[in-house]
Amino acid sequence: MKALLYKDFCALSSTFKFVIAFLVIFGLTFGSFSVGFMTCYCSILAVTAMNLDDNCHWDRYAVILPVSRRAIILEKYVLMLCCTLLGALLSLLRLALGLVIPPMYLIPEDGLITIAAAACVGIAMNAVSMPITLRFGGAKARIFLIAVFAAAFGGFAVIGKNEQLIEAIATSQFPPSLIHALPVIGIAVTVIILVLSALISMRIYQKKEV
């Protein structure tokens, strides 16, 4: 698995340079919004690696290597967690620099919560997209994800225009126990989605003809 990770890091080396340069500029420009965005953006690099493998027909070579198909799939999930960790570290750096470099409107505690939430969202997004990419290929997976994101942002836009709904949410009184349990619930749901995704991906790849 170490060799597979090394292969993907080498394949993504030029992409890493672009992404880091882009996120540095983005972070200095947009401030607090960039804290969560950095983490989510880096997490999708694992799907980028899968698309690169698909474009160069890597599977034809991978199946003759002394590694199981299960290990090939698990490596992609480890890569995704590594990329998410990279994004979280960049976000932490921006959060620290926000104490001296404006604009930054997040206090450290809120910034840490934002980073954790963005990591969960990024992992969940990848967990959904990776089996789809394996089953239908990168092109169809991108269309599906664009449709999902369009529907999600469209829903948020509709909710944002409903002043009565926003006021009702803002004035709602949630039990303190529920509020304190939300981080644990979010992490648990993310882990469940990740495990189910890995199992589905391994099943798809075991039956895939290359």
Side-chain angles (χ1 to χ4, degrees):
M1 185 177 292
K2 291 181 181 179
L4 294 174
L5 278 172
Y6 179 74
K7 184 271 297 181
D8 280 336
F9 280 123
C10 288
L12 291 171
S13 59
S14 59
T15 304
F16 278 132
K17 295 175 184 177
F18 169 79
V19 167
I20 291 175
F22 167 73
L23 291 179
V24 168
I25 297 173
F26 188 87
L28 294 176
T29 304
F30 290 94
S32 56
F33 174 74
S34 65
V35 170
F37 179 81
M38 286 180 175
T39 306
C40 275
Y41 191 83
C42 286
S43 69
I44 65 173
L45 291 176
V47 177
T48 301
M50 294 178 69
N51 290 332
L52 291 174
D53 288 349
D54 189 48
N55 291 336
C56 68
H57 306 292
W58 161 252
D59 291 339
R60 298 178 183 177
Y61 303 96
V63 293
I64 64 174
L65 295 174
V67 291
S68 64
R69 292 195 176 202
R70 179 175 177 272
I72 293 172
I73 293 302
L74 287 179
E75 180 270 334
K76 296 301 182 189
Y77 284 84
V78 173
L79 175 67
M80 181 255 289
L81 294 176
C82 290
C83 292
T84 304
L85 178 61
L86 172 64
L89 292 175
L90 290 174
S91 297
L92 285 172
L93 178 60
R94 179 61 186 97
L95 188 63
L97 291 175
L99 299 175
V100 293
I101 301 177
M104 177 63 72
Y105 307 106
L106 287 176
I107 61 176
E109 291 80 4
D110 291 343
L112 293 175
I113 294 173
T114 300
I115 293 170
C120 289
V121 170
I123 291 172
M125 288 192 314
N126 280 279
V128 172
S129 64
M130 290 172 83
I132 297 172
T133 302
L134 285 171
R135 179 63 180 84
F136 300 105
K140 292 182 180 179
R142 280 193 294 271
I143 295 173
F144 173 80
L145 289 175
I146 290 172
V148 170
F149 282 123
F153 284 111
F156 284 125
V158 171
I159 293 174
K161 292 182 179 180
N162 191 327
E163 296 181 359
Q164 293 180 346
L165 179 59
I166 294 176
E167 184 177 355
I169 294 174
T171 56
S172 298
Q173 296 293 327
F174 297 101
S177 58
L178 176 61
I179 296 175
H180 294 154
L182 282 178
V184 177
I185 295 173
I187 294 173
V189 171
T190 303
V191 171
I192 292 172
I193 293 173
L194 183 63
V195 172
L196 289 175
S197 172
L199 293 174
I200 294 171
S201 294
M202 285 188 286
R203 185 175 180 84
I204 291 172
Y205 200 66
Q206 287 288 351
K207 296 183 176 181
K208 187 176 182 180
E209 296 182 3
V210 296

